[in-house]
Amino acid sequence: TPSRKMQYLEFEYPDKQPTRRSSAHDLLRHTFTSPQENSQAMRTVMVIFGASGDLAARKLIPALYSNFRKRRLPRDTRIIGFSTSAFSDDEYRAMMKAAVQEHAARLYDTATWDLFASCFSYQPGNLENDADYRALSDAMRLDDGVFVDCLYYFAIAPSYFPVALVKLGSAGMLA
């Protein structure tokens, strides 16, 4: 039998269901799968810097899709891609759909993808342009003008991290 410590490290995979779950696993599963039932569920915006790049397409978006399928993302999660490429929202969604079909083919389901893709928007911008950060800030606001919890993912070269952080700070986008 697995040790008590191993029970806490158990993960759920689509092709292999664990035979026994710990109470910690059940608690985490409830936390991430029940925002629909929780009126106080947080609203989250994830901004992916370098959203049109290889890292986002091969790893990040398929991983987010997998978590969405498992209902591990808060219900009101919005994902905004930020990159220099000039895509519309629909063009970006189509590009990420192709990436998921290629890199997570066994997980792909059209109906689930359509729900997941509705969380996406795309904001073209240059990492060094202040006006692009103001436009991103506007895109992050909800209809009522309120900011939500933000997560920034840097799928960019490490040499651009300081630039992006300084620009986010000067745009008032860091807490």
Side-chain angles (χ1 to χ4, degrees), residues 48 51 55-66 79 92 96-97 99-100 113 116 120:
I48 302 170
L55 176 61
R58 293 174 65 84
K59 298 292 184 181
L60 185 57
I61 300 302
L64 288 170
Y65 175 73
S66 176
I79 301 168
Y92 184 69
M96 292 301 109
K97 178 180 180 178
V100 168
W113 172 261
F116 179 62
F120 277 97

Side-chain angles (χ1 to χ4, degrees), residues 16-160:
K16 180 181 178 233
Q17 296 295 320
T19 57
R20 185 172 172 198
R21 291 188 183 130
S22 68
S23 59
H25 183 274
D26 291 334
L27 176 64
L28 284 173
R29 186 154 178 79
H30 175 75
T31 301
F32 288 105
T33 61
S34 300
Q36 293 84 349
E37 301 161 9
N38 182 357
S39 62
Q40 300 299 316
M42 69 177 169
R43 297 180 292 180
T44 304
V45 173
M46 178 178 188
V47 178
I48 302 170
F49 288 86
S52 63
D54 189 60
L55 176 61
R58 293 174 65 84
K59 298 292 184 181
L60 185 57
I61 300 302
L64 288 170
Y65 175 73
S66 176
N67 282 317
F68 181 84
R69 283 185 72 241
K70 295 173 185 176
R71 299 183 57 172
R72 291 182 178 162
L73 296 179
R75 183 181 74 185
D76 293 330
T77 298
R78 290 179 46 224
I79 301 168
I80 302 174
F82 184 84
S83 190
T84 57
S85 303
F87 295 120
S88 69
D89 289 346
D90 289 335
E91 290 170 329
Y92 184 69
R93 288 181 190 122
M95 187 173 83
M96 292 301 109
K97 178 180 180 178
V100 168
Q101 288 173 326
E102 180 181 349
H103 302 291
R106 68 185 176 93
L107 301 177
Y108 181 79
D109 171 74
T110 302
T112 304
W113 172 261
D114 290 342
L115 288 172
F116 179 62
S118 69
C119 300
F120 277 97
S121 62
Y122 184 80
Q123 181 66 43
N126 185 312
L127 288 172
E128 298 176 350
N129 186 335
D130 292 331
D132 291 339
Y133 285 87
R134 285 190 296 276
L136 176 60
S137 177
D138 290 343
M140 292 169 61
R141 295 181 192 275
L142 296 177
D143 293 335
D144 56 9
V146 176
F147 262 101
V148 295
D149 292 323
C150 300
L151 172 80
Y152 301 109
Y153 189 95
F154 289 178
I156 55 178
S159 61
Y160 286 106

